[in-house]
Amino acid sequence: MAERIEGVEISHPERVIFADTGLTKAGLARYYQSIAEPMLEESANRPLSLLRLPDGMAGERFFQKHPGKGFPKSIRQMQITESDGEDAAYAYVTDAAGLVAAAQMGTVEFHIWPARRDRLERPDRLVLDLDPDEGLGFDAVRSAALSLRDRLLDLGLSPWAMLSGGKGVHLVVTLRRNLGWDDLKHFARDFAALCAQDEPDRYTVELSKASRKGRIFIDWLRNERGSTAIAPFSVRARPGAPVAAPVGWDELAGIDTARAFGIQAAQERGWAGVARKPQSLTRAMFEALEAALAG
DNA sequence: GCTGGAA
DNA sequence: TTCCAGCAACGCCAC
DNA sequence: GTGGCG
Ligand SMILES: [Mn+2]
Ligand SMILES: [Mn+2]
């Protein structure tokens, strides 16, 4: 029994993707149809990496960034020159049909580049991904997010926040597209290093497992050409089908988990309480970071 | 979920 | 005809 | 150099 959603034929619409919540393939497709407007505001026209689970949570999963043959036309394709100098096809979407078509292909999670298709060498998102060590509670993540926000405000930048749907929080500064990848990476690395320098018991910028006890890894590596981060309003392939949910700063103070919102709540919330004004990383900000860093 | 090559 | 593997990748760092 | 890592 096929079912048509947003013009896309959904095979096995009653297949259960999340056994714990009962969310079916058609339910997931309908979610992406109805969340399309707020989701595409941020994620349209960005190169994508898709996390696909064609047999649901019980089956295998794999990332896919190069759209294969057999991808429908509503999942659009563009050529991007990779670091090895070779051109490769990348997927992006522009409309609800593209999101639904991806769901039909088994996509649960959408991961986005921090740059848009029309100006790939001018990223427009600075992402700081807070990854707590095992055993650290959400209260530590929340206070870290608020603390990093204060630091950014001191520099003259106003980030917004997103619950990852897993254990962490993302801080995002929406950028004017006036700098390149090297500058963005440099800024993100320096900012994270400064946080770790000032509060070494609280933060680390090293991804090595051993060096990471009881601390929060500030993952600044989301800010490189070719890297991706979970898209706002993407469902996560985790128990309970949590959603990566933007939250207002006032609201964050009263939240006690990074997987607070599911598909129903996400649709009701949209971008409420979240401000995404494009901002610039200025020379003065780079110099302030540089001056404060010991090494 | 779909392709392409191997068995 | 059925079976099965592939389906991202990138800098950093410990070894 | 390889491997883990996110
Ligand atoms: Mn490639
Ligand atoms: Mn994370």
Side-chain angles (χ1 to χ4, degrees):
Chain A
M1 277 326 127
E3 179 176 339
R4 199 162 274 278
I5 298 175
E6 198 66 28
V8 177
E9 176 115 342
I10 304 297
S11 61
H12 308 289
E14 301 310 318
R15 172 174 293 161
V16 175
I17 305 301
F18 290 85
D20 51 5
T21 68
L23 184 62
T24 62
K25 192 177 170 193
L28 185 62
R30 278 193 297 268
Y31 167 72
Y32 280 121
Q33 176 187 39
S34 61
I35 205 70
E37 185 172 323
M39 184 166 176
L40 291 167
E41 259 183 57
E42 187 76 8
S43 297
N45 292 297
R46 297 182 184 279
L48 297 172
S49 189
L50 306 176
L51 182 61
R52 298 177 56 196
L53 295 79
D55 297 314
M57 289 289 284
E60 308 219 310
R61 61 178 64 193
F62 55 91
F63 278 97
Q64 187 162 12
K65 61 193 226 180
H66 303 308
K69 295 179 82 166
F71 268 52
K73 235 175 40 184
S74 54
I75 302 176
R76 310 196 179 275
Q77 303 193 19
M78 64 183 296
Q79 292 295 124
I80 295 181
T81 303
E82 300 183 312
S83 52
D84 60 7
E86 299 292 306
D87 275 16
Y90 279 70
Y92 68 97
V93 295
T94 60
D95 55 18
L99 296 174
V100 173
Q104 156 58 21
M105 299 295 288
T107 299
V108 173
E109 298 189 357
F110 293 81
H111 297 248
I112 56 173
W113 274 43
R116 294 200 302 269
R117 176 181 125 69
D118 57 331
R119 294 179 72 193
L120 270 187
E121 306 310 323
R122 287 288 179 270
D124 65 349
R125 289 166 43 105
L126 166 67
V127 180
L128 297 163
D129 169 16
L130 305 187
D131 289 335
D133 192 13
E134 290 293 328
L136 265 189
F138 186 75
D139 52 342
V141 178
R142 184 181 53 214
S143 65
L146 293 166
S147 172
L148 263 61
R149 179 204 184 202
D150 285 341
R151 285 177 170 278
L152 288 167
L153 288 174
D154 286 345
L155 280 169
L157 293 171
S158 181
W160 50 277
M162 181 176 75
L163 307 179
S164 72
K167 293 182 58 183
V169 170
H170 291 197
L171 270 69
V172 182
V173 179
T174 300
L175 298 175
R176 287 214 183 93
R177 298 191 284 179
N178 50 17
L179 293 178
W181 292 107
D182 285 350
D183 289 321
L184 176 65
K185 174 169 72 171
H186 188 138
F187 187 95
R189 193 214 295 119
D190 280 4
F191 178 78
L194 181 59
C195 295
Q197 172 182 293
D198 289 352
E199 295 184 87
D201 295 336
R202 199 176 183 191
Y203 309 120
T204 177
V205 293
E206 292 172 30
L207 75 178
S208 84
K209 186 177 197 164
S211 76
R212 176 112 131 341
K213 287 261 278 273
R215 295 186 289 186
I216 291 169
F217 171 49
I218 304 177
D219 182 359
W220 53 273
L221 298 163
R222 305 305 87 216
N223 301 285
E224 292 198 309
R225 193 179 191 274
S227 68
T228 61
I230 189 69
F233 303 109
S234 176
V235 173
R236 305 308 306 270
R238 296 167 173 272
V243 169
V247 292
W249 287 107
D250 294 342
E251 185 182 19
L252 178 61
I255 290 175
D256 60 7
T257 170
R259 41 183 204 290
F261 302 111
I263 60 174
Q264 190 60 47
Q267 292 172 71
E268 292 160 6
R269 296 167 48 79
W271 288 101
V274 179
R276 293 170 295 155
K277 196 169 86 69
Q279 298 155 68
S280 290
L281 307 181
T282 66
R283 166 86 51 162
M285 294 174 192
F286 279 92
E287 286 172 355
L289 282 183
E290 209 94 0
L293 271 176

